[in-house]
Amino acid sequence: GGGEQAGQREVASALDDRGAGDGVRVLHVGDYYTDHRGSDWLRSQGFADTQIGRHAGLIDTAQLMAIAPDAVRADRLAAPVDGSGVDGDPRRASAAIGNTVLDFRIDAAVRQIRAAR
C-alpha cells in the first residue's frame, strides 16, 4: 500500500542495480499510489475526504468490489469504528466506483513504466 512506498522504492532500486548487467529492469511504480485523479473524481461526485479515506474506506473497498467482489463481506460494511483500522467510509463503495478509480491508477502506472523505458 501507500505506506510502504519508501521500502518498495529501495528494494526496486537495489534489484534494478543487481539485474542491470543481465538486461533486467525492476521499477518502483509509485505513480499507481500517488495519482490523485480517482480521489479528485470522487470529490467531484460529492464524496468527502472522510468518506474516501486512506485505508479500507471507499476507494479500497470499491477497488476490491471491482476485481474480487466475492472478497468483500457486504454484511460487514459499516461506518468506521475507532481502532478498526478503517480510514474512510466503505458503505457507498461499488464496483463502478472501483473500476473508475482503477482506470486512473492503472493509467498513471502505465505512463510511468513507459517513461522509464
Side-chain angles (χ1 to χ4, degrees), residues 27 29 31 35 37 103-117:
L27 302 173
V29 187
D31 288 2
D35 185 89
R37 290 177 293 167
D103 284 347
F104 287 127
R105 287 184 167 190
I106 292 167
D107 175 68
V110 169
R111 287 175 188 235
Q112 183 180 4
I113 292 166
R114 287 184 175 151
R117 289 185 184 177

Side-chain angles (χ1 to χ4, degrees), residues 34-54:
T34 60
D35 185 89
H36 298 291
R37 290 177 293 167
S39 295
D40 294 343
W41 174 76
L42 285 166
R43 284 185 207 96
S44 79
Q45 302 301 303
F47 291 98
D49 288 338
T50 55
Q51 292 172 298
I52 295 168
R54 294 182 304 218

Side-chain angles (χ1 to χ4, degrees), residues 66-77:
I67 62 169
D70 292 339
V72 177
R73 297 180 297 191
D75 61 318
R76 305 269 322 249
L77 295 180

Side-chain angles (χ1 to χ4, degrees), residues 10-27:
E10 289 175 25
V11 169
S13 178
L15 291 173
D16 192 49
D17 290 345
R18 185 184 300 172
D22 298 323
V24 174
R25 296 288 316 271
V26 178
L27 302 173

